[in-house]
Amino acid sequence: MSRRQITGFSNPTVKALRALRDKKHRKAAGKFLAEGLRLLTDARESGHLPEVLVMAEERDPHPLLAALEADVLAAGGEVIETTADILSKITGKDNAQAVCGVFAEFDTGLAALDRSKAKIWLVAQALRDPGNLGTMLRTGDAVGAGGLILIDDCADPFSAETVRASMGAIFTQQVAQARWEDFLPWLRGDAGQLVAASLRDAVPYRGAPYAAPCFIMVGNESRGLPEDYELACDLRVTMPMKGRADSLNAAVAGAVLAYEVLVALGG
Amino acid sequence: MSRRQITGFSNPTVKALRALRDKKHRKAAGKFLAEGLRLLTDARESGHLPEVLVMAEERDPHPLLAALEADVLAAGGEVIETTADILSKITGKDNAQAVCGVFAEFDTGLAALDRSKAKIWLVAQALRDPGNLGTMLRTGDAVGAGGLILIDDCADPFSAETVRASMGAIFTQQVAQARWEDFLPWLRGDAGQLVAASLRDAVPYRGAPYAAPCFIMVGNESRGLPEDYELACDLRVTMPMKGRADSLNAAVAGAVLAYEVLVALGG
């Protein structure tokens, strides 16, 4: 166990932590940041402890923070106390939370997924917006999904914005990353229904013949899904579009479908 | 009709347009910016023409852009040609779209709403995220809602980010802004059912007794709805929460409810 204080902006640890805001450095280090007592408590209660816990010296005492600190030290992690200014520098936010943690990135290989664990899985293809990605993780948690599978070039699931938008679901949902040409054979290697909202040869989303494990796929924010991805689906469904637009926000479409599938598969 | 070229960064028109990125200046001018041919075409087809159309000199010719230009000039508006660099300066984006337009802000008084025009209305209370706000407008368009009513201190519906996230729905959905103490008497002045997702004395959202015109209300991203707002609702509904979290993203919750109400009220 280890515990220390840092007061200098140019301290190499501060630089290393700050660099985790950048995707390239996150990949190289295999680590990511999560901010705020609520998020860190969600992580802890889901069995994830930070390797490094960084706390503001001027923080208000809180039993959950004390518990977190004790657990991190007991697990051999490091606890750093620093100034509010340095915390702001690390997180890049003017009003930084009084605490942040550094976590090891999770294994995001498809092989780590056990599809029998849940009736619903969410799939996103080339989803570029970290807020949408975090929102999908949060929705997945709400509907009891097993996790989120990111196809092709999606936003980084470990960015601060995704982690924040997930409201802790980054710690409860499994995340996998795969190219389409690897995902499809994996999917077909066992039972699994691939479903997408589509305008091509589709049935109404309400009352469609959903089957578990059901993989609900949404596409890129601007372009939607490529045609061949849609055609590879086992079930294409349409949702009512009463206005001018012919599509919903990707995270919204995924959520409306996910709640429909949840009901269809018996809650 | 008027048409001119601007090539200088310090041109006062460029400064005035650029200032519209700032809320204070938008309010003072009563105008807002929308970017991109798709958004401007959506606006035009919904009966909204920009007062000023700004185009890059180096743009590719496009029949929709030519039609827009002709309509703006015919309506007595102004067309400005400028450099890609100046367009980037106006919109604040590195890769600016080749065109943007300046619109007069719409009347957002409650008195302008005709609730009999639609079965569904969306209501957001203290919604702070412009992306969420734009997403709600987009969802409103999709479910055939009449518009979005913003209660208390919400994000600005005329910010560039909201307009972008609305995918054109800012031009098809009515928007109203009101304090709660003005909204509630307005609502009670005629038929209207106020509905919110809630954990207090609520019924399952699926199959709940929705009635038109149905006002679906969501609360602030962090705090949800104040208790007295929830208690003022005619119907409180719960949605399944299978995971750790007890809430959804506000725009997602609104969308799942809106699609349920759409079905309940006969599509």
Side-chain angles (χ1 to χ4, degrees):
Chain A
M1 63 176 75
S2 133
R3 186 178 188 108
R4 62 184 163 130
Q5 243 175 348
I6 294 180
T7 52
F9 273 90
S10 55
N11 182 291
T13 302
V14 172
K15 287 191 176 164
L17 294 176
R18 192 186 174 196
L20 295 179
R21 278 159 44 199
D22 178 72
K23 181 174 177 180
K24 198 178 63 192
H25 285 103
R26 277 198 301 278
K27 291 302 122 190
K31 299 185 191 309
F32 70 99
L33 276 177
E35 299 158 38
L37 182 56
R38 180 166 172 175
L39 209 51
L40 292 176
T41 298
D42 282 347
R44 174 172 163 260
E45 294 180 355
S46 307
H48 295 277
L49 285 173
E51 298 179 348
V52 183
L53 182 69
V54 189
M55 305 189 296
E57 292 161 348
E58 306 88 348
R59 67 188 182 274
D60 295 325
H62 195 293
L64 286 172
L65 185 52
L68 185 61
E69 189 183 352
D71 281 3
V72 168
L73 290 172
E78 186 178 24
V79 174
I80 294 174
E81 286 196 317
T82 190
T83 65
D85 282 353
I86 290 179
L87 253 175
S88 287
K89 191 178 174 185
I90 291 170
T91 60
K93 287 166 72 180
D94 282 346
N95 285 305
Q97 304 253 17
V99 58
C100 73
V102 178
F103 293 82
E105 288 192 358
F106 314 133
D107 177 3
T108 61
L110 277 177
L113 294 190
D114 174 5
R115 72 179 79 188
S116 69
K117 271 179 48 187
K119 292 181 187 171
I120 299 177
W121 296 82
L122 300 182
V123 183
Q125 187 265 337
L127 200 72
R128 300 303 303 162
D129 183 81
N132 278 340
L133 210 161
T135 297
M136 287 194 71
L137 286 166
R138 185 177 179 186
T139 300
D141 176 80
V143 298
L148 174 62
I149 302 170
L150 303 173
I151 306 290
D152 300 339
D153 294 316
C154 288
D156 181 6
F158 300 110
S159 75
E161 199 180 342
T162 301
V163 170
R164 203 179 304 131
S166 86
M167 296 287 279
I170 185 76
F171 297 109
T172 60
Q173 291 284 291
Q174 278 198 278
V175 178
Q177 295 178 297
R179 308 298 308 180
W180 174 251
E181 52 271 29
D182 299 317
F183 168 70
L184 202 58
W186 174 85
L187 180 73
R188 297 311 180 202
D190 203 340
Q193 180 192 51
L194 187 61
V195 178
S198 169
L199 301 173
R200 294 185 181 94
D201 184 23
V203 300
Y205 85 109
R206 194 95 173 182
Y210 302 107
C214 183
F215 293 79
I216 303 169
M217 181 164 65
V218 301
N220 173 266
E221 287 90 347
S222 316
R223 297 182 306 274
L225 287 169
E227 183 175 359
D228 55 324
Y229 291 36
E230 281 193 14
L231 294 176
C233 287
D234 302 296
L235 181 62
R236 287 176 292 280
V237 296
T238 51
M239 297 151 81
M241 293 287 152
K242 301 284 179 185
R244 279 188 45 79
D246 60 1
S247 67
L248 292 164
N249 165 282
V252 161
V256 174
L257 278 186
Y259 267 92
E260 190 60 30
V261 172
L262 181 63
V263 170
L265 299 182
Chain B
M1 63 176 78
S2 130
R3 188 181 187 107
R4 62 182 162 131
Q5 240 171 353
I6 294 180
T7 53
F9 274 90
S10 56
N11 182 292
T13 302
V14 172
K15 287 191 176 162
L17 294 176
R18 192 185 174 196
L20 294 180
R21 279 158 44 199
D22 179 70
K23 181 174 176 178
K24 200 178 63 193
H25 285 103
R26 275 198 302 279
K27 292 301 124 192
K31 300 185 193 307
F32 70 100
L33 276 176
E35 298 158 40
L37 183 55
R38 181 167 173 174
L39 209 51
L40 292 177
T41 297
D42 282 347
R44 175 172 162 259
E45 294 180 355
S46 308
H48 295 278
L49 285 173
E51 299 179 348
V52 183
L53 183 68
V54 188
M55 305 189 295
E57 292 160 348
E58 307 87 350
R59 67 189 181 274
D60 295 325
H62 195 293
L64 286 172
L65 186 52
L68 186 62
E69 189 184 353
D71 281 3
V72 169
L73 289 172
E78 185 177 23
V79 174
I80 294 174
E81 286 195 316
T82 191
T83 65
D85 282 354
I86 290 180
L87 254 175
S88 287
K89 190 177 174 185
I90 291 170
T91 61
K93 288 165 71 181
D94 283 345
N95 286 305
Q97 304 252 17
V99 57
C100 73
V102 179
F103 293 82
E105 289 192 358
F106 314 133
D107 176 4
T108 61
L110 277 177
L113 294 190
D114 174 5
R115 72 178 79 187
S116 69
K117 271 180 51 187
K119 292 180 187 172
I120 300 178
W121 295 82
L122 299 183
V123 183
Q125 188 265 338
L127 200 71
R128 300 303 303 163
D129 182 80
N132 279 341
L133 210 161
T135 297
M136 287 195 71
L137 286 166
R138 186 178 179 184
T139 300
D141 176 81
V143 299
L148 174 62
I149 302 170
L150 303 173
I151 305 289
D152 301 339
D153 295 314
C154 288
D156 182 5
F158 300 111
S159 75
E161 198 180 343
T162 301
V163 170
R164 203 179 303 131
S166 84
M167 294 287 278
I170 185 76
F171 297 109
T172 60
Q173 291 285 292
Q174 279 198 277
V175 178
Q177 295 178 297
R179 308 298 308 181
W180 174 251
E181 51 271 30
D182 298 317
F183 168 71
L184 202 59
W186 174 85
L187 179 74
R188 297 311 179 202
D190 203 340
Q193 181 191 49
L194 188 60
V195 178
S198 169
L199 302 173
R200 294 185 181 94
D201 184 23
V203 299
Y205 86 109
R206 194 96 174 181
Y210 302 108
C214 183
F215 292 80
I216 302 168
M217 182 163 64
V218 301
N220 173 266
E221 286 90 347
S222 316
R223 296 183 307 274
L225 287 169
E227 182 173 2
D228 54 326
Y229 291 35
E230 282 193 12
L231 294 176
C233 287
D234 303 296
L235 182 62
R236 286 175 293 279
V237 296
T238 50
M239 297 150 82
M241 293 287 153
K242 301 283 177 185
R244 278 188 47 78
D246 60 2
S247 69
L248 291 163
N249 164 281
V252 160
V256 174
L257 278 187
Y259 267 92
E260 190 61 27
V261 172
L262 181 63
V263 170
L265 299 182

